[in-house]
Amino acid sequence: MELGTLGIWSMQLRDARREEVREAVAELDALGIGTLWIPGLDGKGAFDDVDALLAATPRAVVALGVLAVWGQHPVDVGRAVAELDAAHGPRTLLGLGVSSPESAAAVGQAWGNPLDTMSDYLDELAATEHPVARDRLMLGALGPRMARLAATRTAGLHPFLVPAEYAEVQRAQLGAEALVAPHLAVVLDTDRARARDIARAGIGFFFGLPAYRANLARFGFADDDVADGGSDRLIDAVVAHGDLSAVARRVRQHLEAGADHIALHVLTGDNDLPRAQWRELATLVGPGGGIA
């Protein structure tokens, strides 16, 4: 699917009032943002929210980044994507992930081997009445084995909370064909201490989860770095903060390392739609923005 170089990743696009979301999405479309990412979480209401976003924009791709497979029957997921295609055309990108043992337990399923779980799920999805095409699928992969599965069974991977070097590692392992579309948290604030605090409040919880800790350890981050919402060194590595030019530099680092598309997640310290920040970020893809 044609995602463009930059997209917007937002929980607020699921949480805000539908009227506000429609206005914001129409503006993003007019500004040239071609892909909207929302978290799938546990699946509740996720496809309804995708439907609302697709209805609000005639052109954008809407990506679930990502939907935990626990409790999501492949038959229901395939049908939901087919219904969205019938209503809006093939503009839904389905990201899938294994999440955590707690997510499995919450729906009474055994965690098992994450790689086998995802492989089996993809098999079951492919065997349904409404299989989802490979180029319409991505995995929320972090480790090398899940990344290889993403490259061989889907369009590619949507990693969360990774430094720019991550794309270089995956390119060396997976080659040029796999789509690498990382999430990148953004704080448009030139006060470094305040920006780091906003980042910790928004994403710091995830650093303590085993999958993220293990992946960050591959890049030299120790237990001290992932404690208490993240060390300054870790925050600076996985969050683009500062003014627009600083964010642009970080985006270029990811692209030069091998990423194809960057999903920009604006953090502000509140739950309002960050429309002013989105407007600013959209200038990066406009004439003279410096990022194709």
Side-chain angles (χ1 to χ4, degrees):
M1 302 184 77
E2 293 296 327
L3 303 183
T5 304
L6 297 180
I8 292 296
W9 194 107
S10 174
M11 183 67 211
Q12 289 96 326
L13 288 176
R14 293 199 61 184
D15 287 345
R17 292 189 302 110
R18 283 284 167 85
E19 182 178 350
E20 290 181 89
V21 169
R22 283 195 297 269
E23 291 176 0
V25 167
E27 182 179 29
L28 287 170
D29 184 82
L31 291 170
I33 297 296
T35 304
L36 305 174
W37 295 81
I38 58 172
L41 305 176
D42 63 2
K44 294 176 182 176
F47 290 107
D48 290 338
D49 290 338
V50 172
D51 180 59
L53 291 172
L54 290 169
T57 170
R59 296 177 293 185
V61 171
V62 176
L64 276 173
V66 297
L67 179 71
V69 299
W70 308 108
Q72 312 301 320
H73 197 286
V75 169
D76 297 331
V77 170
R79 183 187 301 115
V81 174
E83 289 173 352
L84 291 169
D85 288 354
H88 307 290
R91 294 190 288 131
T92 303
L93 178 61
L94 177 62
L96 298 171
V98 292
S99 190
S100 66
E102 292 76 15
S103 296
V107 294
Q109 294 184 262
W111 171 247
N113 180 291
L115 196 68
D116 291 343
T117 294
M118 183 57 75
S119 182
D120 291 346
Y121 192 91
L122 292 172
D123 289 342
E124 293 175 28
L125 183 60
T128 66
E129 183 181 355
H130 302 288
V132 180
R134 174 179 171 175
D135 68 347
R136 307 276 302 283
L137 289 166
M138 294 190 78
L139 298 187
L142 288 173
R145 292 186 298 167
M146 193 67 79
R148 280 194 293 271
L149 182 66
T152 56
R153 299 289 304 276
T154 77
L157 55 154
H158 175 54
F160 191 69
L161 298 180
V162 294
E165 300 93 317
Y166 180 88
E168 183 177 7
V169 170
Q170 295 306 337
R171 277 285 164 245
Q173 173 182 247
L174 305 177
E177 296 303 315
L179 180 66
V180 179
H183 160 284
L184 177 62
V186 172
V187 183
L188 281 164
D189 192 327
T190 56
D191 184 311
R192 292 171 67 85
R194 184 169 59 215
R196 288 168 177 152
D197 285 343
I198 290 171
R200 289 186 181 99
I203 60 173
F205 162 78
F206 294 98
F207 296 140
L209 299 179
Y212 296 106
R213 289 175 60 186
N215 188 59
L216 291 167
R218 297 182 183 103
F219 295 91
F221 294 100
D223 288 346
D224 288 349
D225 288 304
V226 300
D228 301 321
S231 67
D232 286 353
R233 186 172 78 97
L234 176 55
I235 293 294
D236 292 350
V238 301
V239 179
H241 61 82
D243 61 11
L244 185 64
S245 63
V247 174
R249 284 194 298 273
R250 180 58 57 83
V251 168
R252 291 191 194 97
Q253 288 172 2
H254 280 269
L255 295 173
E256 290 167 3
D260 300 292
H261 171 91
I262 314 294
L264 300 175
H265 177 194
V266 173
L267 302 171
T268 62
D270 61 44
N271 292 320
D272 295 335
L273 288 166
R275 294 181 65 177
Q277 291 86 345
W278 288 346
R279 293 182 193 110
E280 194 171 359
L281 291 172
T283 65
L284 295 177
V285 295
I291 296 175

